[in-house]
């Protein structure tokens, strides 16, 4: 999967996802942004919830179970010091309908332990490279 993110102005960045959806990210005014889009950390928290929610719905459908309603309350705690990473993420799944508890627990566990690529990516190694004016940098970062 590849995408390009372009700096727009001040602290705003925009891009198009590989699936064709446009998005803008920005910072808060107190740090130089204009609040023209969500913060990257907000998107990360939403991505974890969205990923696991999609997993759970897919698993429940395979079990021939159909919730009548489903929402998630998500809380992310961040460190006080830079890089202010998420130290904990808590997701409360609220499902309604004729759903056996053991099957709902199984779907949640499968998403958490096996399928949610976003949450499992939070521990991935990130490599970086750079170029300035079209010239690739030589230093390893």
């Amino acid at each position: 999967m590849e995408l390009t993110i372009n700096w727009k102005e001040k602290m705003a960045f925009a891009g198009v996802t590989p699936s064709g959806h446009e998005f803008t990210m920005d910072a808060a005014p107190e740090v130089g942004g204009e609040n023209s889009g969500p913060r990257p950390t907000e998107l990360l928290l939403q991505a974890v919830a969205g990923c696991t929610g999609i997993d759970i719905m897919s698993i429940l459908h395979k079990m021939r179970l159909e919730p009548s309603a489903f929402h998630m309350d998500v809380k992310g705690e961040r460190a006080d010091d830079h890089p202010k990473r998420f130290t904990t993420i808590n997701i409360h799944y609220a499902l309604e309908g004729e759903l056996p508890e053991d099957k709902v627990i199984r779907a949640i566990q499968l998403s958490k332990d096996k399928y949610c690529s976003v949450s499992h990516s939070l521990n991935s190694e990130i490599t970086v490279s750079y170029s300035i004016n079209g010239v690739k940098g030589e230093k390893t970062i």
Side-chain angles (χ1 to χ4, degrees), residues 51-60 62-63 93 102-117 119-120:
C51 180
T52 189
I54 289 168
D55 288 343
I56 290 166
M57 288 304 298
S58 175
I59 294 163
L60 291 176
K62 288 176 184 169
M63 294 176 176
Y93 301 96
D102 62 325
K103 300 218 184 231
V104 170
I105 290 170
R106 180 72 177 140
I108 292 169
Q109 284 178 323
L110 282 169
S111 177
K112 180 180 180 281
D113 298 337
K114 184 174 183 179
Y115 292 114
C116 183
S117 58
S119 63
H120 286 279

Side-chain angles (χ1 to χ4, degrees), residues 19 26 28 34 38 46 48 55 58 69 72-73 81 85 91 95 107 111 119 122-124 136 140:
S19 57
D26 200 1
E34 294 186 331
Q46 283 189 309
V48 169
D55 288 343
S58 175
M72 292 167 273
D73 295 315
D81 297 324
R85 69 180 191 86
I91 304 171
L95 297 101
S111 177
S119 63
L122 292 176
N123 292 325
S124 68
K136 186 176 182 336
T140 302

Side-chain angles (χ1 to χ4, degrees), residues 30-48:
E30 57 268 20
V31 295
E34 294 186 331
N35 197 31
S36 65
R39 315 297 176 263
T41 50
E42 293 171 337
L43 292 173
L44 179 64
L45 207 55
Q46 283 189 309
V48 169

